[in-house]
Amino acid sequence: MLKLYHSPGSRSSRFIWLLEELGVDYELAHTTIQRRSGAGAPDTRNPHPDKRVPALVHDGQLVTEQLAIALYLTDAFPAAGLGVPVGKPARGAYLTWLAFFAAEADPVYNARAYGNPQDPITQRDAQRVVSRVSVALAQGPYLMGQQFTAADILMCGPFEWDADLAGQSPLIAA
């Protein structure tokens, strides 16, 4: 059985969406987390080592971190078609988009939201993310062209949370 540890208004919301798209049974465990504002508190029932979300438990295995959970779920449930199986030609592109989200898009969102969005390096990095996603979306409605994947679910987060960033590209805004 799958159990997702979730706190409303956090990144774990993406994984409710992913689990629904996968069409699998899961249990949702609402948990509190320490928020940047200082509100909230760590929940001792949360198995994440840092008491953060998302955290996923599947048949006794703990999986944390967004990229790892997305990859784990799409590999565990390949029939849903939300990932690219090992050995398929598009696997490299799929892994690249997952890693690009974790290493580039999410940090850009954080820098803009919690740092100085006017910082020249932050602006350069934001433009690089917008450009790369826009180029991909120009080839098809999704990052992988015609195939909707977990990478699309993850990537939409920073653009939903930062409307100004999304507004820099009509393709992303759409």
Side-chain angles (χ1 to χ4, degrees):
M1 176 61 141
L2 291 162
K3 186 174 189 177
L4 176 67
Y5 289 81
H6 164 66
S7 186
S10 73
R11 287 170 171 84
S12 59
S13 299
R14 298 275 163 253
F15 293 93
I16 296 171
W17 179 8
L18 178 56
L19 288 163
E20 290 292 324
E21 292 285 345
L22 288 169
V24 297
D25 291 330
Y26 66 95
E27 178 184 345
L28 192 60
H30 288 274
T31 185
T32 59
I33 58 172
Q34 181 76 50
R35 303 287 178 159
R36 284 189 186 270
S37 67
D43 188 334
T44 58
R45 297 169 297 158
N46 183 347
H48 191 294
D50 301 320
K51 306 301 182 212
R52 299 173 68 186
V53 292
L56 180 77
V57 175
H58 183 219
D59 295 336
Q61 290 189 83
L62 173 64
V63 185
T64 64
E65 312 318 318
Q66 296 178 90
L67 184 153
I69 294 170
L71 187 57
Y72 180 88
L73 286 172
T74 58
D75 282 355
F77 303 100
L82 293 172
V84 178
V86 173
K88 296 293 183 183
R91 177 73 173 194
Y94 174 62
L95 295 176
T96 298
W97 278 116
L98 290 175
F100 185 77
F101 162 77
E104 300 288 338
D106 201 40
V108 160
Y109 163 74
N110 283 314
R112 288 173 53 88
Y114 305 111
N116 177 4
Q118 301 308 317
D119 172 68
I121 293 172
T122 299
Q123 289 181 346
R124 178 203 65 204
D125 292 348
Q127 186 52 51
R128 185 179 65 244
V129 168
V130 167
S131 177
R132 185 137 165 213
V133 171
S134 295
V135 166
L137 294 177
Q139 305 304 308
Y142 306 111
L143 296 173
M144 299 282 297
Q146 298 301 312
Q147 183 183 2
F148 177 72
T149 69
D152 295 290
I153 292 172
L154 292 182
M155 190 66 76
C156 74
F159 295 107
E160 286 182 1
W161 300 322
D162 186 342
D164 291 337
L165 188 62
Q168 294 180 24
S169 166
L171 291 168
I172 293 171

